[in-house]
Amino acid sequence: MDQKAYDGLQTVVLLVGVWEGLIPFVAKIFGWRPFLAFPLHLPDPLWWIVSGAVIVISLVLLELLDRAKKQSTRES
């Protein structure tokens, strides 16, 4: 894959991580109801777990994509 593909994937992962991971926590604090924050549609203890898992998975994916991008630039 080229540099732009990795950048695009990282952008998508970051947006999903923020919107589905961080926004539900902020929304609960301020009483917001974001339209596409799907974890907020889950019952009370489960949305915490799902949002936390989304944050962790997003961070891991961002790190893996960054390593792959660096590896790809070294090879070319």
Side-chain angles (χ1 to χ4, degrees):
M1 268 196 304
D2 64 339
Q3 191 85 6
K4 288 183 181 181
Y6 283 115
D7 289 339
L9 282 173
Q10 285 177 320
T11 302
V12 169
V13 169
L14 180 66
L15 289 174
V16 169
V18 168
W19 194 259
E20 300 297 333
L22 291 176
I23 293 294
F25 289 109
V26 175
K28 281 288 188 175
I29 292 170
F30 292 110
W32 301 338
R33 292 296 295 170
F35 177 65
L36 291 175
F38 295 119
L40 291 176
H41 298 288
L42 298 171
D44 201 17
L46 192 57
W47 76 266
W48 285 80
I49 296 168
V50 171
S51 291
V54 168
I55 292 170
V56 170
I57 291 169
S58 296
L59 290 173
V60 169
L61 285 175
L62 286 172
E63 179 63 27
L64 290 174
L65 286 169
D66 191 47
R67 287 183 188 179
K69 182 168 63 172
K70 287 178 184 175
Q71 181 75 21
S72 144
T73 56
R74 273 190 248 140
E75 291 174 357
S76 56

